[in-house]
Amino acid sequence: MRPAIWTGDAVRALAVARTEAEQARVLELLGLASVAAPSPDPSVEREPGDGSPDPTTAGRPSTPGPPRVPERGPEPDPDALEPAADAPPGPETAGAGPPLLSPVRVEAVLLPDSLDEPDERLPFPAEHPARLPHLPLLVPRWTGAILRSVVSRRVGDGPVDVAALTDLIARGRPVDRFPRLAVPTLRYGVQVLVDRGGGMQPFRRDQNQLAETIRAVVGERLVEVGFFSDVPLRGTGPGPRWTRTGYRPPEPGRPVLLLTDFGIGGPLDDPRRAVRDEWEEFAAVVTRAGCGIAALCPYPPERRPDWVSRLCPVIHWDRATTAGRTGVSGR
């Protein structure tokens, strides 16, 4: 086993060595002689008794003998000394470390927080298997009706309320304005807040697809999409996490739609998991701004804490949900 000698130790020791023989001796003492031992230069003839020991015999007892005359062979071809680019490592490089492997392919990696919200869809290599078809949480043919039921507001712009008008006349009261039936409308738009926390990571494709569907249903100019992690008050914005700022509620009357799990999913020991007090503070901020709140949650009611249902209307984000089962139409 190679001793625990750092390369810096060898560099500092070699800096004070005066000859090649001393450098070879230093490397031998450090246990690095087999890694980088200086080889004698055959072009230099050594005179017997010149005081320069042969590095190859350093440390051995010297025996008298005739002077050694170096034999000169044919000059090596410089091109032959360079190994081919695709040649496997030879025995001369086997001790220098494991051989370098050529990558078979390079695959794209999606980060926990994508660089470009709402989704950074990196292309897959040609040899990568095709992405499986996406099966959305909501039934596609019902999604438009569900969203209209969730994000619309009820206002008195419908037909004349005949029953109310009859009651006014029967009471003998003046009719200065015809009472009208309340109908849902999307003209107030919606603020969509998308949770990018760890618990919602399995549902990112559904979040992205639903955000695009909301824009198509309500109108591009009336939809404001913001991203947050775990709870909106920690920072909300249209871009990645490091670009988000403090949460600002929308203009009065514009509803707020949350795409979140309220901290139900994800690791139980996640220190970033949002707590009840943070969500209740967020709901108070939105309510004081004169806006309503609704949420789509991928977990069924039996998985949600009781305080979540008291916070705002929560729709089960699943294929069994229909427009008639949302229970939030016309807030």
Side-chain angles (χ1 to χ4, degrees):
M1 179 181 296
R2 180 180 297 177
I5 301 297
W6 293 91
T7 306
D9 300 331
V11 172
R12 286 190 293 268
L14 292 175
V16 299
R18 292 172 295 181
T19 64
E20 293 184 359
E22 292 182 358
Q23 294 177 355
R25 183 59 177 166
V26 166
L27 293 177
E28 182 180 357
L29 293 175
L30 294 178
L32 301 176
S34 61
V35 177
S39 58
D41 189 355
S43 63
V44 178
E45 296 185 4
R46 300 181 183 274
E47 296 294 335
D50 61 352
S52 301
D54 189 352
T56 60
T57 60
R60 302 180 185 175
S62 60
T63 56
R68 209 166 38 132
V69 179
E71 298 181 0
R72 294 181 178 272
E75 293 294 334
D77 185 5
D79 296 334
L81 298 177
E82 295 293 334
D86 55 350
E92 68 278 359
T93 60
L100 297 179
L101 302 179
S102 300
V104 178
R105 67 173 182 264
V106 178
E107 297 184 0
V109 178
L110 292 178
L111 302 178
D113 267 333
S114 301
L115 299 179
D116 293 322
E117 301 288 357
D119 187 18
E120 184 187 61
R121 294 186 173 92
L122 298 179
F124 286 92
E127 65 273 11
H128 195 280
R131 177 180 288 190
L132 295 176
H134 175 53
L135 185 64
L137 292 176
L138 297 178
V139 178
R141 66 176 180 271
W142 299 342
T143 303
I146 294 174
L147 293 176
R148 291 186 184 91
S149 175
V150 172
V151 304
S152 62
R153 287 191 56 191
R154 297 186 68 87
V155 295
D157 292 343
V160 175
D161 188 349
V162 177
L165 178 61
T166 302
D167 183 70
L168 289 176
I169 296 175
R171 293 173 180 271
R173 295 182 178 179
V175 181
D176 54 355
R177 183 179 180 182
F178 286 107
R180 296 184 175 275
L181 296 175
V183 292
T185 180
L186 298 174
R187 69 169 181 258
Y188 290 93
V190 62
Q191 183 187 65
V192 183
L193 299 180
V194 184
D195 188 353
R196 291 303 206 193
M200 289 297 292
Q201 187 172 1
F203 308 101
R204 286 201 172 185
R205 294 179 69 181
D206 287 276
Q207 290 177 330
N208 299 335
Q209 186 183 56
L210 195 64
E212 295 300 324
T213 305
I214 292 174
R215 288 190 177 100
V217 171
V218 181
E220 183 76 25
R221 300 176 59 183
L222 296 176
V223 177
E224 174 189 351
V225 179
F227 301 91
F228 68 94
S229 296
D230 303 299
V231 68
L233 293 182
R234 297 181 185 176
T236 308
R241 178 179 299 182
W242 56 85
T243 64
R244 299 169 189 167
T245 58
Y247 172 72
R248 297 180 59 184
E251 59 189 50
R254 173 167 290 189
V256 176
L257 177 62
L258 296 167
L259 307 183
T260 182
D261 63 344
F262 294 99
I264 300 174
L268 296 177
D269 57 349
D270 187 358
R272 297 174 298 181
R273 182 189 298 270
V275 296
R276 173 179 178 177
D277 293 343
E278 292 179 291
W279 279 110
E280 290 180 344
E281 182 181 356
F282 164 76
V285 170
V286 176
T287 303
R288 286 194 298 267
C291 304
I293 312 175
L296 283 170
C297 179
Y299 296 100
E302 55 268 20
R303 289 284 306 275
R304 306 176 208 146
D306 294 337
W307 61 265
V308 173
S309 301
R310 295 191 295 267
L311 191 70
C312 65
V314 182
I315 300 94
H316 187 198
W317 194 358
D318 196 49
R319 299 185 70 81
T321 300
T322 63
R325 299 180 62 179
T326 60
V328 296
S329 177
R331 297 184 306 279

